[in-house]
Amino acid sequence: MKELGRHIELINSARTPEEAFDRFVSIMKGHGYDRVTYSLVTDHPSLNRPRQHGLATSYPEDWMKFYKENNYFEIDPVTKRCLSSRKPFFGSDVTNDPRIAKHSLQLMNEAEEAGLTDGIGISLSGQTGELVGIGVARSTNFDKN
């Protein structure tokens, strides 16, 4: 718990949101997750921002561009899971769901090819009901190596 407390203090002492995100990315790297994204899963009137995948991200730039060009936010099963559940989940929970649509499974396979493996999704809801999603992943799938 001391380590968690130090992590929280480190993030809370950041002077800017960007610095806080960079610190979070660094912490997650220390736990084996070198890819992090922070997304607005719902519109955020409190920030005057629409929903957006990767508001802050360390995901590969080419993947983010490909994702946006293909309008994947609309079919992303991780986003859908964040909307339907407030419990953390593994990417494998999504891909192993027999109800997953074929195009959504294709998105997940393409993400893995882009270096986003062993993912974990976390949704957080604010007091106003606005929802954010945090995704962490590894650039290497340890289960396959």
Side-chain angles (χ1 to χ4, degrees), residues 4-81:
L4 178 60
R6 284 193 300 270
H7 292 329
I8 291 169
E9 288 175 13
L10 182 65
I11 293 168
N12 283 342
S13 67
R15 292 170 290 202
T16 65
E18 295 80 12
E19 184 179 357
F21 181 76
D22 289 344
R23 290 178 179 187
F24 182 67
V25 169
S26 179
I27 291 165
M28 294 312 300
K29 279 183 184 178
H31 294 281
Y33 292 91
D34 58 338
R35 306 288 191 195
V36 178
T37 195
Y38 178 86
S39 300
L40 305 179
V41 177
T42 59
D43 291 337
H44 275 62
S46 67
L47 300 174
N48 198 28
R49 288 187 174 263
R51 65 192 192 109
Q52 174 184 354
H53 177 64
L55 178 64
T57 189
S58 66
Y59 279 17
E61 284 183 41
D62 56 340
W63 168 251
M64 293 303 293
K65 181 180 177 190
F66 180 78
Y67 184 100
K68 186 175 182 177
E69 287 172 352
N70 287 282
N71 201 27
Y72 275 175
F73 201 48
E74 298 301 321
I75 65 164
D76 191 334
V78 172
T79 300
K80 289 179 181 187
R81 182 74 173 255

Side-chain angles (χ1 to χ4, degrees), residues 38-140:
Y38 178 86
S39 300
L40 305 179
V41 177
T42 59
D43 291 337
H44 275 62
S46 67
L47 300 174
N48 198 28
R49 288 187 174 263
R51 65 192 192 109
Q52 174 184 354
H53 177 64
L55 178 64
T57 189
S58 66
Y59 279 17
E61 284 183 41
D62 56 340
W63 168 251
M64 293 303 293
K65 181 180 177 190
F66 180 78
Y67 184 100
K68 186 175 182 177
E69 287 172 352
N70 287 282
N71 201 27
Y72 275 175
F73 201 48
E74 298 301 321
I75 65 164
D76 191 334
V78 172
T79 300
K80 289 179 181 187
R81 182 74 173 255
C82 284
L83 285 166
S84 67
S85 175
R86 300 303 171 265
K87 295 178 182 177
F89 58 92
F90 294 101
S92 59
D93 296 334
V94 172
T95 56
N96 293 332
D97 185 335
R99 299 167 297 173
I100 190 171
K102 186 176 180 179
H103 58 272
S104 294
L105 184 57
Q106 177 183 333
L107 181 158
M108 296 297 286
N109 290 334
E110 290 171 352
E112 186 170 344
E113 290 171 13
L116 299 169
T117 66
D118 288 339
I120 298 173
I122 303 164
S123 61
L124 302 169
S125 181
Q127 291 178 341
T128 60
E130 297 168 337
L131 186 64
V132 301
I134 299 170
V136 298
R138 303 174 196 259
S139 57
T140 304

